[in-house]
Amino acid sequence: MFAFVKSHFEDALRLVLKPTRARQVAAVCYRHTRAGKKVLLVTSRGTGRWIVPKGWPIKGLEDPEAALQEAWEEAGVKSADIQTDPVGTYDYDKKRAGGDVTPVQAQVYVAEVESMADSYPEDHQRERRWFSQDEAASRVQEPELKAILRDL
């Protein structure tokens, strides 16, 4: 009986102590080409790893609109048809200057890109590149995001 109570107590304690995750919005941008569907990835500013455009919710904008704003700032997406319902979420740890880490859950919206700009706010800070779905999935680190990219 003691083991049963101890097990349930430990489960409850894990739930209580689980860190709260901050919320971000992300845009999985794609386009159709003769070679098939291509996904747009950008490099992060800090580590240079491949990611999808994402950021904090923006006051006055619905989440899909905020995700498109991030796609503009980080990747130069001028216009896109974005779905209003998220296709999923993924968790990651955002590393901040000074070494702090913030647990984040990104809500993912899918956007079919209509046009791109040559110049955009973060063009000097990031690289952007189109990848096949499988290659994009292999380039990102987060398992849930890999699955979303493969299922796009």
Side-chain angles (χ1 to χ4, degrees):
M1 178 68 171
F2 176 72
F4 175 78
V5 171
K6 181 182 176 200
S7 171
H8 284 294
F9 176 75
E10 288 172 346
D11 289 343
L13 189 59
R14 267 193 292 281
L15 285 174
V16 170
L17 296 178
K18 183 179 179 183
T20 310
R21 292 198 168 268
R23 190 173 69 83
Q24 287 192 326
V25 294
V28 170
C29 301
Y30 74 94
R31 67 179 179 189
H32 292 283
T33 70
R34 290 185 187 142
K37 198 177 283 184
K38 299 291 184 176
V39 177
L40 182 64
L41 297 181
V42 297
T43 55
S44 67
R45 288 187 292 194
T47 63
R49 65 188 180 88
W50 290 103
I51 61 171
V52 296
K54 65 184 176 316
W56 306 109
I58 300 170
K59 187 175 180 175
L61 295 181
E62 297 292 324
D63 287 346
E65 296 169 320
L68 270 183
Q69 179 65 31
E70 294 299 329
W72 158 247
E73 292 173 8
E74 296 181 5
V77 174
K78 280 191 348 186
S79 66
D81 182 21
I82 193 160
Q83 295 178 3
T84 56
D85 294 325
V87 294
T89 62
Y90 69 93
D91 294 343
Y92 79 102
D93 291 329
K94 182 171 184 62
K95 294 171 180 61
R96 297 188 175 266
D100 290 342
V101 174
T102 301
V104 174
Q105 182 172 78
Q107 199 164 28
V108 180
Y109 296 88
V110 174
E112 184 172 7
V113 175
E114 297 164 347
S115 65
M116 302 281 293
D118 292 330
S119 178
Y120 50 96
E122 297 181 15
D123 62 3
H124 59 288
Q125 299 171 343
R126 301 176 186 271
E127 182 181 346
R128 68 178 179 187
R129 192 179 308 164
W130 293 97
F131 295 98
S132 70
Q133 286 177 257
D134 286 338
E135 190 172 359
S138 73
R139 301 265 179 157
V140 299
Q141 293 179 354
E142 301 79 12
E144 301 99 332
L145 182 55
K146 287 177 183 287
I148 289 170
L149 294 174
R150 286 192 177 108
D151 293 342
L152 184 61

